[in-house]
Amino acid sequence: MSGPGRDRPDEQGYVEWLTERIGERVRREVREDMPLIECGLDSVALLGLYGDAEDAFGPLPDHPVEVWPYTTIRNLARRLAGRDRVARSGGRIRTAFVFTGQGCQHPGMAAGLYAHCTAYRHHLTEADEALEPHLGRSMVQLMLGRDPLIDQTALAQPALFAVGYALAATLLEEGVRPVAVLGHGVGEFAAATVSGALPLATAAELVASRGSFMQHLPAGGGMMATCADPFEAAEAATQEPGVSIGAINAARATVLSGDIAGLERARRRLADIGIASTFLKVTHAFHSPLMAPVTPRLEALARRMPTSAPALPYYSTVYGRDYDGPLDAPYWGTQITAPVRFADAARALLTEQRPTHVVEIGPKPILTPFLRRMGGPNGPRCLPACRGPQSNAVDLAGILSALNAGPLADDVEEGF
């Protein structure tokens, strides 16, 4: 296995090569599921390992320090194998859909598109009709009426689902075919619907019930965005049994979730080492153990409903990777209390699918800056499907043009 420029191995080949070489460098047996940090590789040894790999396989695409988020030998092998895939797509567009989660809701969401885009209006109405029996009210009227109640969890979650579904369905109608989907938190329900894992009616009932169950939990919890990496955030919360990591959005964008008093103490600890934090405008500690009372109720509901595995690559923010299992009751139960592993899932999607474009599906751009930084200067073009209430059909036409979709598209098929 030597000689620069030789054919590069598949994932299993990288696993075997890395296991052997790391074992030689640390002079002990290592396993593919062993955390890299436990292998004993210091920075010098890591540089040497990369040098060995480049001698064997030719230039590698990333700087050595970028392997640390890929915590095990197996994950590092998956990273290298994914980066080695050269897309011979003949210039075709490869689009990924990334769905935003709770926190980006606001009065008048996508009002300009509703007023000026027939397709979006049709699909939003479709989602609204699926939700209304479970909510007793129209999400369209709520959003267009600019009602501040949109921030209540029981309404914010189904409203965001409706907007995400309608935006994605509009793009699909115009010929955009995603190569993969990813959803942040509640955004997973729209992603699951687009992937074929949840029928619209099922997703609507689940997301409406989920929001209602959470709304009626006791108050007193909260969430806090920090500029800490996951290790720093965990260290700040280590003395707080009621506080845990709620989301990892980027290398230095970690959200803590838990009881307010514990979050305030964690905030002071982070401030002592120069790390800024800010409380989010939420009423509960989402994606934390404080959500556990919701789990059995949602799982019981989901067991009675049709669900299946996704029909296209689905990058789970529960597991931080491509997930091809059924999006069933246990999955949605776990999703309630598990931290949102957006950074891991997004890195895996960018590495393994090599999209040329990523469209953020939501009422305003929240995740696009993270995606741009992860992709780097040679990464995909990141486009928000909706920039705010004023986005209209002209803005949508610009996105379709960038994706080579819509009535003026070239006669080129997109491939999975």
Side-chain angles (χ1 to χ4, degrees):
M1 300 182 72
S2 63
R6 60 157 288 143
D7 290 339
R8 295 178 180 179
D10 59 12
E11 180 181 321
Q12 184 57 36
Y14 269 122
V15 167
E16 295 169 0
W17 188 89
L18 287 166
T19 302
E20 178 183 350
R21 290 305 174 95
I22 291 174
E24 289 174 355
R25 286 190 168 273
V26 301
R27 300 189 178 186
R28 63 187 176 91
E29 184 177 352
V30 296
R31 306 183 313 276
E32 67 177 66
D33 61 346
M34 181 181 291
L36 287 172
I37 200 167
E38 293 181 7
C39 292
L41 284 171
D42 58 22
S43 58
V44 174
L46 183 61
L47 285 168
L49 178 68
Y50 246 62
D52 290 347
E54 292 197 324
D55 285 344
F57 310 117
L60 296 177
D62 294 314
H63 189 276
V65 298
E66 293 190 12
V67 308
W68 291 116
Y70 302 86
T71 51
T72 66
I73 290 175
R74 167 64 70 177
N75 285 344
L76 176 55
R78 184 174 296 126
R79 162 82 169 195
L80 295 174
R83 285 283 184 170
D84 285 345
R85 297 192 192 102
V86 178
R88 295 183 174 88
S89 60
R92 287 178 298 175
I93 300 294
R94 290 178 56 81
T95 305
F97 286 177
V98 175
F99 294 80
T100 48
Q102 192 168 349
C104 65
Q105 72 276 356
H106 56 272
M109 289 194 294
L113 283 171
Y114 186 86
H116 301 292
C117 179
T118 303
Y120 175 78
R121 186 164 57 249
H122 166 76
H123 293 299
L124 188 66
T125 301
E126 185 183 16
D128 193 35
E129 290 174 348
L131 287 163
E132 190 164 0
H134 313 294
L135 297 171
R137 64 183 301 167
S138 164
M139 286 295 96
V140 171
Q141 292 178 7
L142 177 77
M143 288 185 285
L144 297 183
R146 300 182 180 272
D147 194 325
L149 289 177
I150 193 69
D151 287 323
Q152 291 189 357
T153 298
L155 301 175
Q157 293 188 10
L160 287 169
F161 168 77
V163 170
Y165 170 81
L167 286 170
T170 301
L171 294 175
L172 291 169
E173 183 176 314
E174 295 291 347
V176 181
R177 295 292 176 264
V179 297
V181 296
L182 178 158
H184 189 293
V186 72
E188 285 208 284
F189 287 89
T193 305
V194 170
S195 78
L198 292 182
L200 174 59
T202 297
E205 184 171 357
L206 285 176
V207 78
S209 300
R210 181 185 191 267
S212 177
F213 295 159
M214 290 181 174
Q215 178 78 40
H216 291 95
L217 287 175
M223 301 183 80
M224 185 174 73
T226 79
C227 296
D229 67 35
F231 302 103
E232 292 166 334
E235 180 67 22
T238 189
Q239 299 176 44
E240 306 298 337
V243 175
S244 59
I245 289 178
I248 303 172
N249 292 326
R252 298 198 67 86
T254 306
V255 177
L256 291 176
S257 185
D259 68 81
I260 295 294
L263 287 172
E264 181 57 43
R265 289 189 292 269
R267 186 193 66 79
R268 290 196 292 268
R269 293 190 191 100
L270 289 171
D272 288 343
I273 57 174
I275 295 175
S277 307
T278 183
F279 280 89
L280 302 179
K281 293 181 180 180
V282 297
T283 56
H284 293 84
F286 300 116
H287 297 285
S288 82
L290 294 180
M291 294 286 105
V294 173
T295 297
R297 299 178 68 187
L298 191 71
E299 287 189 358
L301 180 64
R303 286 191 192 98
R304 303 197 300 268
M305 297 183 174
T307 60
S308 63
L312 72 160
Y314 182 94
Y315 283 79
S316 164
T317 50
V318 175
Y319 297 107
R321 57 174 172 80
D322 183 13
Y323 181 80
D324 59 5
L327 298 181
D328 54 10
Y331 182 89
W332 297 116
T334 300
Q335 199 243 16
I336 290 170
T337 56
V340 179
R341 296 177 59 185
F342 173 76
D344 289 340
R347 288 190 189 105
L349 186 154
L350 296 177
T351 297
E352 296 166 8
Q353 298 300 326
R354 307 289 286 172
T356 59
H357 295 71
V358 177
V359 180
E360 181 176 354
I361 309 286
K364 65 179 180 180
I366 297 292
L367 305 173
T368 294
F370 297 139
L371 293 163
R372 284 175 177 155
R373 286 199 292 273
M374 289 178 197
N378 298 317
R381 183 177 177 187
C382 299
L383 303 167
C386 180
R387 294 185 178 276
Q390 304 308 314
S391 283
N392 56 32
V394 175
D395 299 318
L396 180 63
I399 293 169
L400 293 173
S401 175
L403 300 177
N404 193 29
L408 301 180
D410 297 334
D411 187 17
V412 179
E413 294 183 357
E414 295 184 11
F416 283 86

